[in-house]
Amino acid sequence: MRTFLFLLLCLLQPVTVWALGVQSSTVDLKDINNYWAKQPIEKITAIGLMIPFEDNTFRPNQPVSCMESITSIMDGAGYAAQIKKMKSLKNRPATAYVAPINQKYVDFAVQQNYLPGSMLKNFRYDRPISRGELAVLLAKALYLKAPAEDTIFKDNDSIPKDYLPAVQAVHELKVMSGFPDGTFRANGSVTRGQLAAILSKLYDQGWIYLDAKKKVSGWIAGTTEGKNGIDVQVSSLKGIQKVVANASCKAYWQGRPMNLNQCINYRIEGILDSKRRLAYVELVDRRNFSPVQREVYASYLRHAEGEPFILTVKDLMNEEVDYPIAWDAETSDEKSKSKTNKDLLKKLKSGQFLKLGLTSGGTVKALTILDVKNISGEIDRINRALYLEEKGKGSSKKYVPDHFYGWDAGRIVDKEGDDTSDPDEKDKVKIFYIGEPFYERVLEIQVLERVD
């Protein structure tokens, strides 16, 4: 009987939408066009942390309930997989933090001690959450630390003492600010639009978890009208990715909405929906088309992904050098004859020779994996060119170079790759070179054996 009454009460409550896991929204919202947090709302609904209503409204001025806050923040903090694996509690007391859906979210938050005391004392899943309670929930779920120096609000005395560290922490991150009159208003309510803005700031700062499979980054190389929407070609150091934008995909440049067809040559951070279609695009930079001023030949050692992407090479002076790579650098592989190649950087191996196109500031704008050939033999003589002993002409018609001009422009190393003196006649060497027949360029000469 008690269970029946509880279910009946749930049915009589106003309809509220709570996230069941993380589900992207793919609709145009009818009631946010002139709302101050339009962009954050579109970003957070694309991620799936907040869900629109069935009538395609977001209702940004509606207070956020405790339940909606819990589900959005638990998902945003990356706990959805853990919550899904939880076993439902048996023999639950009728008054123990019961919710009509997403009960595991509440159980998880209680077990982890993420919920503020005032919420636990009189738990009602559907009541509006206060600003102070939201600050505590965020600080605990994301393990935020209070700053060394406290911010003094005019209404500090009205903020529960055990809430103050959390209030200070979210204020320090600039995700929940005070009001213009210097108050925090811990007992005030939080609207859905305000929560979306808070979550958006946390996402921009890297506090919100989003599966890497739902992200796309690079620069837009082109757009075309396809059967299922706009086909977007996204280029990056890892190659080209083609994605389709869903019908309600939004794009923004410095807070200003943009048409996707106007976004060519912009660097983007995109969010994909559950069907792997582009749902939201943030433009973060423009291509500057800095020209290549000089070319450098070197061998690959390692790279470190980040901002900027750093490439470490050994130049032809046999010195280790770090170069930043431009986010819109073009990559190619001479062997594949392809200007761009999927996951080209994964092909790089230690010692592999590269040609780097550098800007005047020393940034890599073009990276080419070279098609390097090599030949071993004994040095016959050295004058203007380095000549190898002829091995006999035989019947083969395949061209094999037997002499190299400009040989001393390459690096001279021993078998271990360390610097060594120039080779002499009768030394045995291995020569690595590139170029067309009769126009070979020496990159490295390995001295294998010297004649005393």
Side-chain angles (χ1 to χ4, degrees):
M1 183 64 179
R2 181 178 292 175
T3 302
F4 171 77
L5 290 174
F6 174 74
L7 291 174
L8 180 62
L9 179 63
C10 292
L11 292 172
L12 294 175
Q13 293 292 331
V15 176
T16 304
V17 180
W18 300 317
L20 286 165
V22 179
Q23 303 173 359
S24 300
S25 168
T26 58
V27 299
D28 282 314
L29 301 173
K30 299 187 293 187
D31 59 342
I32 64 168
N33 282 337
N34 298 314
Y35 191 70
W36 64 271
K38 182 177 186 291
Q39 181 181 355
I41 290 170
E42 289 173 338
K43 182 190 300 183
I44 292 305
T45 54
I47 293 172
L49 293 182
M50 297 184 73
I51 308 299
F53 291 85
E54 292 182 356
D55 62 356
N56 292 348
T57 62
F58 187 79
R59 305 178 197 177
N61 293 317
Q62 177 174 300
V64 178
S65 70
C66 292
M67 188 71 243
E68 188 172 13
S69 301
I70 292 170
T71 53
S72 295
I73 293 169
M74 294 303 104
D75 281 336
Y79 299 129
Q82 289 176 252
I83 293 171
K84 187 177 181 180
K85 294 177 182 177
M86 282 183 64
K87 294 182 179 180
S88 299
L89 300 180
K90 296 181 179 179
N91 303 317
R92 177 191 305 282
T95 58
Y97 319 122
V98 178
I101 59 172
N102 283 2
Q103 181 65 59
K104 287 183 178 181
Y105 278 78
V106 179
D107 294 340
F108 179 83
V110 171
Q111 287 179 10
Q112 300 297 322
N113 192 32
Y114 291 156
L115 300 185
S118 60
M119 190 183 292
L120 293 173
K121 286 178 182 178
N122 184 22
F123 184 79
R124 280 183 52 202
Y125 68 91
D126 58 342
R127 76 161 173 83
I129 194 170
S130 71
R131 283 172 55 82
E133 289 171 335
L134 180 62
V136 173
L137 182 55
L138 286 168
K140 286 189 173 184
L142 298 174
Y143 294 90
L144 306 179
K145 299 294 184 182
E149 295 184 7
D150 294 343
T151 300
I152 305 300
F153 296 102
K154 288 183 179 179
D155 58 346
N156 264 24
D157 292 342
S158 66
I159 302 174
K161 288 185 179 180
D162 55 336
Y163 286 13
L164 268 174
V167 170
Q168 300 288 349
V170 296
H171 182 267
E172 176 72 9
L173 281 181
K174 294 181 173 56
V175 296
M176 289 185 73
S177 302
F179 288 86
D181 63 359
T183 62
F184 185 80
R185 304 179 195 176
N187 294 321
S189 62
V190 181
T191 67
R192 281 170 54 82
Q194 289 170 342
L195 180 59
I198 290 167
L199 293 173
S200 177
K201 291 177 184 177
L202 288 167
Y203 178 78
D204 292 343
Q205 294 180 27
W207 291 98
I208 295 296
Y209 168 80
L210 183 62
D211 190 333
K213 293 179 181 178
K214 290 195 64 178
K215 299 179 184 179
V216 59
S217 60
W219 55 275
I220 296 182
T223 61
T224 55
E225 294 292 338
K227 293 182 179 179
N228 301 313
I230 298 178
D231 295 328
V232 183
Q233 183 174 295
V234 182
S235 182
S236 72
L237 293 175
K238 296 181 179 180
I240 289 178
Q241 184 175 357
K242 295 181 180 180
V243 293
V244 177
N246 69 35
S248 61
C249 179
K250 302 296 186 296
Y252 284 91
W253 166 244
Q254 297 179 345
R256 180 167 58 91
M258 294 274 285
N259 185 297
L260 267 179
N261 291 318
Q262 298 175 324
C263 298
I264 295 173
N265 292 321
Y266 280 85
R267 185 184 184 184
I268 69 162
E269 296 292 339
I271 297 169
L272 303 177
D273 64 20
S274 56
K275 295 181 179 179
R276 294 194 58 76
R277 297 175 303 180
L278 203 54
Y280 177 87
V281 174
E282 189 126 11
L283 311 180
V284 296
D285 204 356
R286 282 177 174 171
R287 296 188 72 189
N288 59 22
F289 296 98
S290 298
V292 170
Q293 298 286 356
R294 62 190 178 98
E295 292 180 341
V296 170
Y297 293 90
S299 56
Y300 171 78
L301 291 177
R302 58 188 173 273
H303 67 264
E305 297 189 30
E307 289 290 342
F309 192 109
I310 298 296
L311 178 71
T312 303
V313 297
K314 185 174 285 189
D315 64 16
L316 296 191
M317 300 294 291
N318 213 30
E319 294 180 353
E320 192 170 305
V321 185
D322 292 332
Y323 289 109
I325 303 183
W327 53 264
D328 59 342
E330 293 186 348
T331 59
S332 59
D333 183 352
E334 285 189 345
K335 287 186 177 180
S336 68
K337 306 300 180 183
S338 175
K339 188 176 183 180
T340 53
N341 213 352
K342 188 176 181 180
D343 293 331
L344 184 63
L345 294 177
K346 289 185 178 179
K347 286 187 173 184
L348 294 176
K349 298 177 181 178
S350 181
Q352 199 163 27
F353 282 98
L354 310 172
K355 180 173 72 174
L356 307 178
L358 304 180
T359 66
S360 58
T363 298
V364 176
K365 271 299 243 192
L367 183 153
T368 304
I369 298 178
L370 295 171
D371 183 10
V372 178
K373 300 177 178 63
N374 67 82
I375 185 172
S376 299
E378 185 177 296
I379 297 176
D380 177 54
R381 64 188 185 278
I382 300 176
N383 42 49
R384 290 180 60 197
L386 183 152
Y387 289 82
L388 296 177
E389 291 275 3
E390 292 189 18
K391 295 182 178 180
K393 295 182 181 179
S395 59
S396 175
K397 295 183 180 180
K398 183 178 179 181
Y399 169 78
V400 178
D402 61 358
H403 64 281
F404 298 90
Y405 287 95
W407 59 272
D408 53 351
R411 65 185 179 213
I412 313 297
V413 298
D414 59 21
K415 288 186 289 186
E416 284 71 39
D418 297 325
D419 283 325
T420 189
S421 57
D422 289 351
D424 293 319
E425 294 179 6
K426 304 305 179 182
D427 286 348
K428 292 181 179 179
V429 296
K430 185 175 185 179
I431 300 175
F432 295 85
Y433 65 94
I434 56 173
E436 298 297 324
F438 307 108
Y439 295 95
E440 292 85 6
R441 177 180 184 134
V442 173
L443 299 176
E444 179 180 283
I445 298 177
Q446 257 182 44
V447 181
L448 305 177
E449 185 178 331
R450 289 188 181 275
V451 176
D452 293 332

